[in-house]
């Protein structure tokens, strides 16, 4: 077995995704064969692997940081919210049904532990190191009993835990201490230490606090990462995260032509894969903004209706806010509109949905001669084709089946005048096609905008990943980190009271210190007693793939759950 590390966070958006990616890039640059892993991810930003599996975009980005091909093993459970109380459950890259939050955390989550641990074991049999990303905070005491992504997986694999805190928010010392002190004694024994993220200023002013934190917890801080402007890296659902940030926060190159090009993205409900616009924002002279009012479309040269997990809901939202009428006027005036996936469906004539919203037949905006019928089977594909005379690659994630009844062909969708629609995500990352598309938009908008001839989105993304690797290499104690990855958490870490709260209402206060929260154990036969050395890892044998894409653990009867059981 290989070594490993769990990167946890004091909060959501503390920087777990980018720190995990940075550690992966640092390790691969020093010759370590490394893989990322996130047992359970909740996100509307997803990606399709070459094997046709849907995983979180953050894990695909981390795989790129590790210079390996992403697979379903790296994110075995993906939850895609469809409302405040229900999500689609994607298991081993394939959707297996919808489930309410209460139903998922009420026991069915535990049934997934065997799949999760088996995936991790297979990665460990192949790679020198596996860097796991946690979710939210490991101290979510209300969810600890069924946790499979934070301390649950750390306990099963005996991985050391590095807790990341965002100091830019304030309160990082209290967050580190509180996170540790709310864990049981067994969980605390794996919490090796801390990593400060997004620090601004003189590190020497922070050091007395780090010393006091060590005195309080017996745990060291493994690094202080400075605030890095313009890091454009795919995370989960943070709108400020992507290469758009690189354009907005750093010095923007002037337009290659005489004019800039303004792009407005409709911020529809349950917006998914908004990273589609990152490649546009990376172009010199292209200004991208997200909008939710009709008057914000007035000066836009291009309006994009992006993907969404709720097509009918997004359509109603566009109508309620007057955006639908504004889009219809734009189309009549010959002003550019692009619909991607759910946005493409919205632009069509009719939507027949008995799957996602169960709304039946709903009229679309009628801007494209397309009729959409939702199928229970989800299309997951990596299409390759051409458009505007240039090669294009993309990926598809949708239940809607398009019946295209006219217009010019466009990436398996169609075009009518200055209105384009396609199910393909990621098409704008194809450099030649993006430049040709922007030329068409500029011509239709009457702008003297010229795309830069040398913008290469793939190169820009690699540069950002290298920046993450540089942050870890230059500002973390990498030798100490490697000792953690290879050898596990230090022995004899002190207990920080009070520990996890009692699980039962009748538990006494005296039992708090060693509150034995029953972390699910590894399935029989999976010996994760300690991380093995590289020599031992080389002796382990390869395993078969962890279940077929359509399989599910026994007891996980997701299809029988009504997605509306708690929505009323």
């Amino acid at each position: 077995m290989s070594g490993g590390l769990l990167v946890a966070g004091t909060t959501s958006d503390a920087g777990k995704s980018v720190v995990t990616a940075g550690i992966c890039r640092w390790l691969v640059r020093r010759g370590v064969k490394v893989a990322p892993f996130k047992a359970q991810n909740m996100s509307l930003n997803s990606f399709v692997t070459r094997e046709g599996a849907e995983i979180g975009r953050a894990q695909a980005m981390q795989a790129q940081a590790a210079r390996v091909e992403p697979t379903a093993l790296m994110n075995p459970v993906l939850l895609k919210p469809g409302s405040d109380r229900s999500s689609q459950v994607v298991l081993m890259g394939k959707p297996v049904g919808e489930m309410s939050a209460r139903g998922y955390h009420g026991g069915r989550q535990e049934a997934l532990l065997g799949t999760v641990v088996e995936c991790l074991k297979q990665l460990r049999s192949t790679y020198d190191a596996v860097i796991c990303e946690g979710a939210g905070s490991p101290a979510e005491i209300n969810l600890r009993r069924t946790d499979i992504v934070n301390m649950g997986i750390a306990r099963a694999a005996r991985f050391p835990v590095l807790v990341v805190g965002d100091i830019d928010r304030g309160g990082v010392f209290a967050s580190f201490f509180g996170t540790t002190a709310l864990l049981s004694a067994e969980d605390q024994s794996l919490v090796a230490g801390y990593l400060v993220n997004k620090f601004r200023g003189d590190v020497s002013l922070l050091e007395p606090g780090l010393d006091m934190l060590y005195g309080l917890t017996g745990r060291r801080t493994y690094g202080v990462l400075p605030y890095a402007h313009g890091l454009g890296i795919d995370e989960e659902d943070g709108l400020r995260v992507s290469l758009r940030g690189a354009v907005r926060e750093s010095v923007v190159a002037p337009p290659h032509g005489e004019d800039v090009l303004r792009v407005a993205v409709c911020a529809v409900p349950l917006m998914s894969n908004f990273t589609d616009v990152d490649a546009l924002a990376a172009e010199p002279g292209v200004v991208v903004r997200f909008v939710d009012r009709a008057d914000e479309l007035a000066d836009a040269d291009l309006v994009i209706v992006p993907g969404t997990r709720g097509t009918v809901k997004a359509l109603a939202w566009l109508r309620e806010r007057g955006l639908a009428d504004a889009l219809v006027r734009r189309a009549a005036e010959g002003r550019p509109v692009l619909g991607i996936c759910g946005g493409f469906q919205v632009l069509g004539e009719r939507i027949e949905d008995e799957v996602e919203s169960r709304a039946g037949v709903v009229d679309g905006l009628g801007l494209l001669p397309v009729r959409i019928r939702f199928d229970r089977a989800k299309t997951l594909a990596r299409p390759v084709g051409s458009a505007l005379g240039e090669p294009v690659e993309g990926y598809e994630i949708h239940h809607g089946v398009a019946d295209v009844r006219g217009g010019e062909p466009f990436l398996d969708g169609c075009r009518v005048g200055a209105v384009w629609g396609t199910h393909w995500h990621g098409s704008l990352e194809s450099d030649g096609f993006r430049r040709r598309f922007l030329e068409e938009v500029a011509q239709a908008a009457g702008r003297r905008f010229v795309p830069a001839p040398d913008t290469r989105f793939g190169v820009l993304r690699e540069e950002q990943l290298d920046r993450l690797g540089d942050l870890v290499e230059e500002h973390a104690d990498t030798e100490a980190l490697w000792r953690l990855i290879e050898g596990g958490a230090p022995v004899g870490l002190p207990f920080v009271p009070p520990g996890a709260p009692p699980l039962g209402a009748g538990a006494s206060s005296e039992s708090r210190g060693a509150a034995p929260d029953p972390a699910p154990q590894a399935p029989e036969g999976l010996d994760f007693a300690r991380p093995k050395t590289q020599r031992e890892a080389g002796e382990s044998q390869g395993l078969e793939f962890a279940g077929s894409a359509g399989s599910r653990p026994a007891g996980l009867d997701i299809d029988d759950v009504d997605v509306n059981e708690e929505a009323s």
Side-chain angles (χ1 to χ4, degrees):
M1 283 293 179
S2 68
L5 178 71
L6 174 71
V7 178
T10 56
T11 63
S12 295
D13 201 29
K16 297 183 295 292
S17 296
V18 294
V19 168
T20 300
I23 292 174
C24 286
R25 179 51 61 101
W26 157 64
L27 286 173
V28 76
R29 290 195 308 205
R30 64 179 285 174
V32 177
K33 188 179 180 183
V34 59
F37 178 78
K38 186 164 186 174
Q40 173 191 294
N41 198 350
M42 177 172 280
S43 179
L44 288 172
N45 280 336
S46 57
F47 181 76
V48 179
T49 69
R50 295 200 181 279
E51 75 217 45
E54 184 179 8
I55 65 173
R57 273 197 72 100
Q59 279 60 66
M61 173 272 293
Q62 291 160 358
Q64 184 176 355
R67 295 177 180 153
V68 296
E69 189 68 32
T71 73
L73 290 172
M74 298 172 184
N75 180 205
V77 182
L78 173 64
L79 305 179
K80 304 193 71 175
S83 71
D84 289 342
R85 296 191 176 186
S86 69
S87 295
Q88 183 180 68
V89 180
V90 179
L91 178 62
M92 294 304 298
K94 302 296 181 183
V96 294
E98 299 273 342
M99 180 170 283
S100 68
R102 179 177 294 177
Y104 184 69
H105 289 286
R108 291 178 175 89
Q109 184 181 32
E110 289 178 273
L112 297 171
L113 182 70
T115 297
V116 164
V117 172
E118 178 65 16
C119 289
L120 178 56
K121 183 172 183 178
Q122 291 189 53
L123 289 175
R124 294 182 73 187
S125 71
T126 306
Y127 293 90
D128 299 329
V130 179
I131 308 302
C132 305
E133 178 189 346
S137 163
E140 303 289 357
I141 55 180
N142 57 315
L143 303 177
R144 179 61 186 89
R145 183 188 294 273
T146 57
D147 169 41
I148 64 172
V149 65
N150 289 306
M151 300 312 300
I153 195 67
R155 285 264 287 272
R158 305 305 301 169
F159 272 0
V161 178
L162 181 70
V163 181
V164 177
D166 180 357
I167 198 171
D168 196 51
R169 297 183 177 192
V172 73
F173 293 115
S175 298
F176 283 145
F177 181 85
T179 296
T180 308
L182 277 176
L183 300 177
S184 71
E186 290 179 80
D187 284 352
Q188 286 191 27
S189 69
L190 295 175
V191 176
Y194 314 110
L195 185 77
V196 177
N197 192 28
K198 299 182 184 177
F199 179 74
R200 305 174 192 251
D202 186 344
V203 175
S204 66
L205 298 177
L206 187 67
E207 288 172 351
L210 301 180
D211 292 339
M212 286 185 276
L213 181 65
Y214 179 80
L216 289 167
T217 67
R219 289 159 175 83
R220 59 169 298 177
T221 298
Y222 284 79
V224 178
L225 306 187
Y227 193 103
H229 292 275
L231 276 179
I233 298 298
D234 301 340
E235 284 200 86
E236 293 177 0
D237 288 322
L239 272 178
R240 64 182 177 276
V241 180
S242 63
L243 279 175
R244 291 179 292 101
V247 173
R248 290 179 175 181
E249 295 182 17
S250 59
V251 177
V252 180
H256 195 69
E258 297 180 43
D259 288 344
V260 299
L261 206 65
R262 296 175 174 84
V263 179
V265 184
C266 297
V268 297
L270 298 173
M271 181 165 46
S272 61
N273 290 75
F274 53 79
T275 47
D276 283 330
V277 303
D278 288 356
L280 293 180
E283 285 284 352
V286 175
V287 179
V288 178
R289 67 183 188 275
F290 286 81
V291 303
D292 59 5
R293 300 197 309 268
D295 57 5
E296 293 178 297
L297 304 188
D299 66 344
D301 302 307
L302 169 66
V303 174
I304 295 178
V305 187
T308 172
R309 245 288 268 158
T311 299
V312 171
K313 185 175 183 177
L315 180 58
W317 181 86
L318 290 168
R319 285 178 168 139
E320 289 167 3
R321 291 180 169 265
L323 288 160
D325 290 339
L327 289 169
V328 171
R329 288 194 298 272
R330 285 185 67 89
E333 296 165 0
R335 302 177 67 196
V337 176
L338 171 64
I340 302 174
C341 200
F344 167 43
Q345 297 166 4
V346 161
L347 300 181
E349 298 171 348
R350 189 179 75 180
I351 299 167
E352 182 182 342
D353 182 10
E354 298 293 348
V355 176
E356 190 175 77
S357 68
R358 304 179 184 179
V361 177
V362 178
D363 289 335
L365 298 186
L367 304 185
L368 292 174
V370 177
R371 295 187 178 183
I372 302 295
R373 177 185 57 81
F374 274 70
D375 194 352
R376 291 194 176 277
K378 179 185 276 191
T379 298
L380 297 170
R382 291 278 293 269
V384 176
S386 63
L388 305 180
E390 295 287 344
V392 187
E393 295 183 11
Y395 57 99
E396 295 184 69
I397 306 170
H398 54 90
H399 284 277
V401 178
D403 177 12
V404 180
R405 301 188 168 200
E408 301 176 42
F410 177 73
L411 299 179
D412 291 347
C414 65
R415 170 187 181 179
V416 174
V419 180
W420 293 266
T422 176
H423 272 133
W424 291 23
H425 293 289
S427 62
L428 294 168
E429 295 180 17
S430 298
D431 296 329
F433 165 72
R434 182 180 64 255
R435 285 191 277 270
R436 289 285 298 118
F437 177 73
L438 290 175
E439 287 171 359
E440 295 251 353
V441 168
Q443 182 178 0
R447 295 286 187 188
R448 293 186 297 274
F449 170 84
V450 179
D454 55 355
T455 302
R456 293 186 294 167
F457 184 75
V459 171
L460 290 174
R461 177 170 283 168
E462 277 295 306
E463 289 174 353
Q464 299 293 64
L465 294 172
D466 274 332
R467 288 184 64 195
L468 288 181
D470 292 343
L471 284 174
V472 171
E473 190 164 349
E474 295 169 10
H475 300 281
D477 186 339
T478 53
E479 291 307 311
L481 273 180
W482 178 245
R483 287 196 297 272
L484 273 186
I485 293 167
E486 190 175 39
V491 177
L493 291 169
F495 171 72
V496 180
L503 291 176
S508 69
S509 59
E510 294 178 354
S511 67
R512 287 185 195 170
D517 56 325
Q521 299 301 307
E524 184 178 355
L526 297 186
D527 178 18
F528 281 161
R530 62 173 176 85
K532 295 184 180 179
T533 64
Q534 291 187 31
R535 180 184 62 81
E536 292 171 319
E539 297 171 357
S540 58
Q541 301 296 315
L543 302 173
E544 295 299 321
F545 193 77
S548 66
S551 66
R552 70 188 64 176
L556 195 69
D557 300 321
I558 296 180
D559 288 339
D560 296 333
V561 177
D562 184 354
V563 296
N564 295 315
E565 67 179 76
E566 297 182 34
S568 61

